[in-house]
Amino acid sequence: LKDFADKKVVLFFYPRDNTSGCTREVCSFRDCYDEIQATGAVVLGISGDSLESHHNFIAEYNLPFLLLSDGEKQMSAKYGAWGEKKNYGRTYMGMHRITYLIDERGRVTQSWPKVRPDKHGEEVLAAIRGG
């Protein structure tokens, strides 16, 4: 994040490349990207997938922003994105879908712990614009 000092940063964590919800989420950011970029903000996506997987995901969906790999889940854990999940009565460790808006001084100004993938880019854009 030091590389983006003096810029707002949209930092979104997502479970996995090429899954239905994650694809809808990244495409939502893609579709709002020009407007988000016009505000001076940077968009960064993070999952535990490999850089090769990210490269293919970016190419397939024409994503104009960086996807970062957190294979060891260190950064994800620090942001509360890696942790215990429950699904159909089963408990396991996994990546939570969560987004942070970080201001120009590196402070988290807003978070979305419950993301609706389809319209999330628009939701974040509205927050950046102060709406």
Side-chain angles (χ1 to χ4, degrees):
L1 292 176
K2 291 176 186 175
D3 292 344
F4 303 104
D6 299 325
K7 289 184 178 266
K8 288 183 181 173
V9 176
V10 176
L11 186 64
F12 72 96
F13 293 86
Y14 66 99
R16 192 163 198 165
D17 292 344
N18 291 303
T19 58
S20 63
C22 296
T23 299
R24 291 193 319 269
E25 183 178 9
V26 298
C27 289
S28 175
F29 279 115
R30 177 201 63 203
D31 295 346
C32 294
Y33 182 74
D34 288 342
E35 292 173 271
I36 292 171
Q37 191 178 36
T39 70
V42 174
V43 176
L44 302 172
I46 301 176
S47 79
D49 293 305
S50 69
L51 291 176
E52 181 180 352
S53 176
H54 284 339
H55 176 73
N56 294 335
F57 196 37
I58 288 167
E60 184 171 348
Y61 293 99
N62 196 29
L63 304 178
F65 45 83
L66 291 174
L67 295 180
L68 306 174
S69 178
D70 187 19
E72 295 188 15
K73 319 304 187 286
Q74 291 179 347
M75 184 173 181
S76 302
K78 287 179 183 178
Y79 278 88
W82 177 256
E84 190 174 275
K85 295 177 82 171
K86 292 182 181 183
N87 193 17
Y88 298 110
R90 198 180 111 215
T91 301
Y92 60 97
M93 296 299 286
M95 189 73 74
H96 295 278
R97 191 181 309 278
I98 186 167
T99 300
Y100 295 96
L101 180 58
I102 301 169
D103 72 10
E104 296 85 349
R105 293 188 280 181
R107 296 179 305 178
V108 173
T109 59
Q110 192 162 349
S111 66
W112 291 265
K114 301 286 185 188
V115 171
R116 293 183 339 254
D118 295 310
K119 300 289 183 182
H120 193 47
E122 293 172 17
E123 184 178 32
V124 171
L125 176 59
I128 293 169
R129 289 180 171 164

